[in-house]
Amino acid sequence: ETMEGRTWTVKVHDHAKVKLGPGFDIQELQTGFETPWVYLGNIPAHVRDEEITDLLKPFGKVVDVKLPAYIGNPTILVRARFEMPESARDASTVPQNTQAFGVMITARLPMHTASLSNAVFKDASVRIRWEAPSRTAYCGYSTMKLAESGMQVARDKAFRDRYIHASVHVGLPVVGVVTICFRGLPLDVTKEDMAWFAKPDDVVWARPNYKDSDLARTGIMRILKQNSELLDFTIQPSTSKNTRVQAWAHFATPSDAKAACNRLNGRKPIFTRT
């Protein structure tokens, strides 16, 4: 059998591949700085992965499409992986604000795709956390032993899928011999519900930190968008471990992400407090 015309793909390192032809002629070189991934922004949330594949088919073979696991916005950021990095590069060079699915979408390559084992660098993504809407209750107990029992319940058991923070309160309001402050309670909690915490003698309520979670979400997005290109904003599914909301914001460039961090980090906007 003649070897003429045959090619070999040799993995030089985990992140580099060389395609050799006859006479060890280098026909193709793929390094760790090339990526087969392309990011599509402003995709309507109802679009399916098959539709993404059809959209990108003219640029090459699509081997994977990743949609957000949790969708809480009308538009999403979609990641698609081609068989060849050249296909991703070609797809990303399509003029921005291209019409598809009835809207104007964007396409770009990830800024950094270097990976080691299970670590991936994402320097254009920002994690945002803020307090969920909640109430605070001051509960009075006749003895320290009963008060400690109420705090122990808060430490050991979730109340309506939430873990509540409880501590001894000194100062006003004074509700009993010992007053315990319970923070992070659901907005619709009642005095009868507070019997869960070792049956306090009385309960005094503080105002909720805020009530409108949708207003908080849109307000945070508005701050993130100021002079930055926000590609996607996704709120993670809530858990019972804490009373905070967590979201990921994906920007077009690392500089946009850094600017958004500087605008929001350490702030407590008025729409997340009373």
Side-chain angles (χ1 to χ4, degrees):
E1 181 182 2
T2 177
M3 304 298 288
E4 184 178 355
R6 294 187 62 180
T7 61
W8 295 265
T9 299
V10 180
K11 181 159 67 173
V12 180
H13 204 274
D14 286 344
H15 60 270
K17 292 182 180 180
V18 178
K19 187 175 182 180
L20 302 174
F24 294 97
D25 176 47
I26 298 178
Q27 297 186 351
E28 184 180 320
L29 174 64
Q30 180 178 338
T31 71
F33 295 98
E34 295 168 316
T35 175
W37 290 93
V38 65
Y39 288 6
L40 304 177
N42 202 40
I43 302 295
H46 62 79
V47 173
R48 303 189 305 270
D49 53 358
E50 303 90 31
E51 295 175 279
I52 298 295
T53 300
D54 290 340
L55 175 69
L56 298 175
K57 192 178 296 182
F59 303 101
K61 183 179 179 180
V62 178
V63 296
D64 192 16
V65 174
K66 292 194 178 296
L67 304 175
Y70 174 79
I71 298 175
N73 301 300
T75 60
I76 57 176
L77 177 72
V78 176
R79 296 179 294 155
R81 182 163 65 92
F82 285 93
E83 187 175 44
M84 301 298 295
E86 293 84 358
S87 300
R89 183 190 62 221
D90 293 342
S92 70
T93 58
V94 173
Q96 297 300 297
N97 296 321
T98 298
Q99 183 82 19
F101 310 118
V103 298
M104 306 300 284
I105 68 170
T106 61
R108 68 174 182 89
L109 296 176
M111 296 302 297
H112 288 278
T113 57
S115 62
L116 293 173
S117 181
N118 60 347
V120 179
F121 299 104
K122 297 181 179 178
D123 58 358
S125 298
V126 177
R127 183 180 67 176
I128 306 103
R129 290 183 294 180
W130 68 94
E131 292 182 4
S134 64
R135 295 192 73 178
T136 296
Y138 298 93
C139 296
Y141 296 87
S142 58
T143 66
M144 177 58 78
K145 184 177 180 180
L146 289 173
E148 289 176 345
S149 297
M151 289 190 290
Q152 191 64 45
V153 171
R155 285 192 291 267
D156 294 344
K157 299 179 182 179
F159 176 76
R160 294 194 195 171
D161 295 327
R162 291 191 183 200
Y163 281 103
I164 308 304
H165 180 268
S167 61
V168 175
H169 176 72
V170 178
L172 297 176
V174 176
V175 188
V177 175
V178 182
T179 301
I180 302 299
C181 176
F182 293 90
R183 290 187 173 87
L185 294 161
L187 293 178
D188 61 348
V189 66
T190 65
K191 183 176 181 179
E192 290 72 22
D193 294 330
M194 295 306 294
W196 172 266
F197 301 101
K199 299 180 179 179
D201 298 325
D202 201 1
V203 180
V204 173
W205 303 100
R207 294 176 60 187
N209 56 352
Y210 68 98
K211 295 182 179 180
D212 195 333
S213 56
D214 288 336
L215 180 63
R217 176 179 58 83
T218 55
I220 289 170
M221 288 181 64
R222 185 171 63 251
I223 293 175
L224 294 173
K225 287 179 179 179
Q226 292 173 6
N227 302 317
S228 296
E229 185 181 355
L230 179 64
L231 299 177
D232 181 65
F233 183 80
T234 302
I235 295 179
Q236 300 297 111
S238 61
T239 68
S240 61
K241 293 183 179 180
N242 55 55
T243 57
R244 286 176 171 256
V245 181
Q246 177 169 292
W248 281 96
H250 304 285
F251 294 88
T253 65
S255 59
D256 281 349
K258 183 177 181 180
C261 283
N262 292 337
R263 285 194 300 273
L264 195 57
N265 188 42
R267 290 184 57 186
K268 194 170 184 180
I270 192 167
F271 40 76
T272 62
R273 54 188 169 88
T274 51

